[in-house]
Amino acid sequence: MEQKRKNKALQAHLSLLSAELFWGLMAPIGKQAMLHGIDDITLVSFRVAGAAILFWITSIFVRERIPWKHVVYLGGAALLAVVFNQCLFTIGLNYTSPINSSIVTTSLPVFAMILSFIILKEPITWMKAGGVVIGCAGAIVLILSSAQSGGKAGNIWGDIMCLCAQISFALYLTLFNPLIKKYNVVTVNKWMFTWSTIFILPFTTGHLSQVAWTDITSTTWMEAGFVVIFGTYLSYMLAVVGQRVLRPTVVSVYNYVQPIVSVIVSVAAGIAVFTGRHAIAVILVFTGVWMVIKSKSKNDIKKSTQSVASK
């Protein structure tokens, strides 16, 4: 039984790591698509509608019925995890600089830790808080060391939108964690992206009708396809696998992996050099992740208390 639990936890960690890998790759690839004919609104529309279609196709092989009450609840999850999160971040990024938006994303574990304490009564241990701070420091060092001079200046409203996107996702992790654990990952994502499509497309249909589709190259279509298939469909499926097993703070701290992926891709592509500062940042990030993973949950503390009491 203990071995089975450990295997399940390992699978959850590997799934989250893979999801963050895809999300980290999606940033430069998606940026290329937006520079060559597909703008931010079009790309967000593709993501939600494309993922919804793929999850419905996949659901043919996963027959699972859920009460309509829970279908409605997943609409609320879709608002927080997809609609508000993606739209606020994408629009915010349009106003502020990539550096500012990247730094703001490091706030997700902090919000997740605080909301888990308030809503789920998960304890804020010194180890957990320290892990979040160390991981955050590593992510910021990594982002700043990779910054290019002369980039777009930051904007307070863009920064606030990116910050609200992180609060929205942290709320999703905290409020809907029990519901996510009830059903298959395909079922959860099928309804989340169906709701997201219903919420978003009425506002973007007019914009989509004005896109010059014939001017979009095959390379750009492949880049958009990567965003839909790997950066959305597979990554959200893998993320939910992790969310079903791990605590919200543990899930959110994996957010620090994304800048590492961006640096690795940049170095591999020959557009950046791996420096000592990068190495220090990577060590800090993974030290922070390890500390949060090893920190005690509410159940761990309860078991420890019961064990002491029984003696």
Side-chain angles (χ1 to χ4, degrees), residues 85-262:
N85 178 258
Q86 287 190 17
C87 290
L88 283 169
F89 186 80
T90 303
I91 296 170
L93 180 60
N94 189 46
Y95 283 101
T96 192
S97 69
I99 299 304
N100 281 29
S101 64
S102 297
I103 291 173
V104 168
T105 61
T106 63
S107 66
L108 175 59
V110 177
F111 290 124
M113 181 174 65
I114 293 170
L115 290 170
S116 294
F117 172 72
I118 296 170
I119 298 171
L120 301 179
K121 309 302 179 187
E122 280 288 343
I124 299 180
T125 63
W126 283 108
M127 192 170 188
K128 183 188 293 183
V132 168
V133 170
I134 290 172
C136 184
I140 291 174
V141 167
L142 190 64
I143 292 162
L144 292 178
S145 63
S146 303
Q148 297 290 327
S149 60
K152 182 179 177 181
N155 175 281
I156 184 63
W157 295 112
D159 293 344
I160 289 173
M161 286 182 186
C162 291
L163 189 68
C164 288
Q166 305 313 307
I167 296 172
S168 177
F169 199 79
L171 269 172
Y172 155 73
L173 289 175
T174 307
L175 293 175
F176 293 96
N177 200 39
L179 182 62
I180 289 167
K181 291 179 179 179
K182 279 180 175 288
Y183 303 108
N184 186 279
V185 293
V186 175
T187 304
V188 169
N189 280 303
K190 176 183 76 173
W191 286 112
M192 278 180 52
F193 278 93
T194 298
W195 279 112
S196 299
T197 303
I198 294 170
F199 292 141
I200 289 176
L201 285 189
F203 297 98
T204 62
T205 302
H207 179 86
L208 293 174
S209 65
Q210 298 174 9
V211 175
W213 302 106
T214 54
D215 294 339
I216 300 174
T217 66
S218 57
T219 301
T220 304
W221 279 117
M222 285 191 289
E223 289 164 348
F226 180 92
V227 171
V228 173
I229 297 170
F230 293 94
T232 311
Y233 171 68
L234 285 176
S235 58
Y236 269 85
M237 189 183 295
L238 290 165
V240 172
V241 170
Q243 291 162 17
R244 286 164 61 87
V245 178
L246 304 173
R247 288 169 283 143
T249 309
V250 176
V251 173
S252 64
V253 83
Y254 270 97
N255 195 54
Y256 296 148
V257 173
Q258 287 187 48
I260 294 176
V261 175
S262 297

Side-chain angles (χ1 to χ4, degrees), residues 65-77 176 179 182-183 191 195:
R65 291 185 178 182
I66 67 174
W68 278 107
K69 179 177 70 174
H70 288 173
V71 171
V72 173
Y73 288 164
L74 286 173
F176 293 96
L179 182 62
K182 279 180 175 288
Y183 303 108
W191 286 112
W195 279 112

Side-chain angles (χ1 to χ4, degrees), residues 24-45:
L25 289 171
M26 183 186 68
I29 294 173
K31 186 67 175 179
Q32 283 299 311
M34 287 190 284
L35 289 172
H36 301 101
I38 297 179
D39 60 23
D40 51 358
I41 295 175
T42 305
L43 195 60
V44 169
S45 302

